[in-house]
Amino acid sequence: MHKNLMLIVTLVLGLSITCWADIDQAQVMEIGSVNSLLLSGSGLIVGDSMNVVTGNALQQATSANGRVFTAQYEDATLMQSIIGAGVGGSYGVDQTGLGIASQLQTQDGTDQADQNQSLSAALDTQSAAVGGDAVLGTMQAFIGNQVQLALTPYSASVNISRTNVIDSGYIRRNAATTLASSGIQ
């Protein structure tokens, strides 16, 4: 009786060790924002505008037999800021920002995982001024982080990426029409 039980336990354990599991994970996260400032008047005019957008995503998976574990995490922050001061005239600034984070991870349970990550940002600032004298300052920043992890009885795989993109500008305007733009893609 004990020999048969031992044979069954050994057979079950042996099969669970050799069972493979496929895990496929994909995630995409986008964060975007538009920030604007319009100053207009005949005397001293001062203004500022700021946006902060954040996002994060987490995926986890474990195979049916519990032998394979995978996880993906990503977070991102998009910051935009405009500050301006002038005497007379009209001044306008528009900022558009978009951050994209994507990850793909596959694990067949036998070898190292296939892991792909992408972090990108498109930041654009447009400004216009008519009449008067002014000083305008602008800043946009995208910060993104990604981590992927895959564990099997035979391997461990980790993939980490980080991106920082900063776009800043300074606009000095004297009594003539001024147009300026900056952008990063």
Side-chain angles (χ1 to χ4, degrees), residues 33-99:
S33 182
V34 175
N35 189 32
S36 297
L37 177 66
L38 176 62
L39 300 174
S40 184
S42 58
L44 176 64
I45 45 179
V46 178
D48 65 345
S49 180
M50 184 171 140
N51 284 340
V52 177
V53 180
T54 61
N56 61 52
L58 171 65
Q59 277 185 320
Q60 297 183 74
T62 303
S63 64
N65 63 5
R67 311 274 306 152
V68 178
F69 173 80
T70 61
Q72 298 186 127
Y73 175 78
E74 57 192 4
D75 63 54
T77 301
L78 175 62
M79 297 173 283
Q80 298 172 309
S81 179
I82 306 168
I83 188 166
V87 177
S90 295
Y91 316 97
V93 179
D94 291 319
Q95 295 177 313
T96 304
L98 176 65

Side-chain angles (χ1 to χ4, degrees), residues 135-149:
V135 175
L136 301 168
T138 65
M139 186 279 301
Q140 290 192 85
F142 173 77
I143 301 166
N145 301 290
Q146 295 178 311
V147 177
Q148 291 176 310
L149 172 67

